[in-house]
Amino acid sequence: IKDTYEDIIVSGAFVATLQNWKRFRLCYQHDMDDVVGKIIEMKEDAIGLWFKAKISNTTLGNDLRVLIEDEAINEISIGYKSKIAEWNETQDTRYLKEVELFEISFVSRAANPQAAVISTEVKSEKDKMTNMELVEKIEELKSELSRRIFLSIK
């Protein structure tokens, strides 16, 4: 799909740069000083660039998590340099055949309308159970299991 800059990233354009994907940063609004987490996995699939990331438990990370949960921030953008491109004057389009990626950002508005946050699985530290809560839940489940077994024996 053509983005708002009249670019189309061609399938395979990320192959070379993905060799160093662990160096890429996960940012907010393309600000390399606003790193919001860590990219855990990244690949190019049939649709385009795919990644999995962990948002850090920082003030900015927690704010971003809320914005994502509220769907106020739901788009992704990439910071890159074009390495090999071809301009098609008839189509008024630049075809990016190889790009060097620097960062991925959560943004208010992406150049590519399909570059969206597609997972709603956003977890925060507050969602984790404490050890005491976990022990209580285990005891509750044991009790319920015992009750069900007892009921089925009668």
Side-chain angles (χ1 to χ4, degrees):
I1 185 166
K2 189 189 297 191
D3 67 21
T4 57
Y5 297 107
E6 309 300 327
D7 290 340
I8 293 178
I9 298 177
V10 176
S11 179
F14 295 105
V15 171
T17 196
L18 284 176
Q19 302 300 315
N20 296 313
W21 71 265
K22 291 184 179 183
R23 295 208 61 215
F24 307 150
R25 295 295 163 245
L26 185 64
C27 300
Y28 182 63
Q29 304 289 1
H30 290 297
D31 188 336
M32 292 285 278
D33 291 332
D34 284 341
V35 174
V36 293
K38 177 181 179 179
I39 299 167
I40 298 169
E41 187 179 348
M42 182 179 278
K43 64 185 176 185
E44 185 176 2
D45 63 15
I47 298 170
L49 188 62
W50 177 94
F51 73 97
K52 181 177 180 180
K54 177 184 183 285
I55 297 173
S56 297
N57 187 22
T58 61
T59 303
L60 181 59
N62 291 327
D63 288 348
L64 175 61
R65 195 174 287 109
V66 170
L67 290 169
I68 293 170
E69 288 170 353
D70 291 347
E71 297 179 10
I73 294 288
N74 59 2
E75 296 186 22
I76 301 290
S77 184
I78 58 173
Y80 67 92
K81 178 171 79 174
S82 172
K83 300 283 279 184
I84 300 173
E86 184 179 295
W87 180 256
N88 183 314
E89 286 187 37
T90 345
Q91 296 174 345
D92 197 29
T93 304
R94 181 172 70 149
Y95 289 88
L96 302 173
K97 296 182 175 187
E98 184 180 337
V99 297
E100 182 180 354
L101 197 61
F102 302 113
E103 53 91 13
I104 297 177
S105 283
F106 291 93
V107 295
S108 303
R109 185 176 171 109
N112 184 331
Q114 291 184 342
V117 177
I118 57 171
S119 174
T120 56
E121 187 179 330
V122 178
K123 298 178 182 176
S124 64
E125 288 297 315
K126 68 181 180 190
D127 294 331
K128 293 182 182 176
M129 291 181 149
T130 64
N131 286 342
M132 183 57 83
E133 290 169 329
L134 191 55
V135 168
E136 288 171 3
K137 184 55 98 177
I138 290 170
E139 292 306 316
E140 183 182 310
L141 290 171
K142 282 182 184 176
S143 174
E144 178 65 17
L145 185 58
S146 294
R147 184 183 72 75
R148 288 184 186 193
I149 291 172
F150 179 72
L151 289 174
S152 67
I153 293 175
K154 283 187 169 183

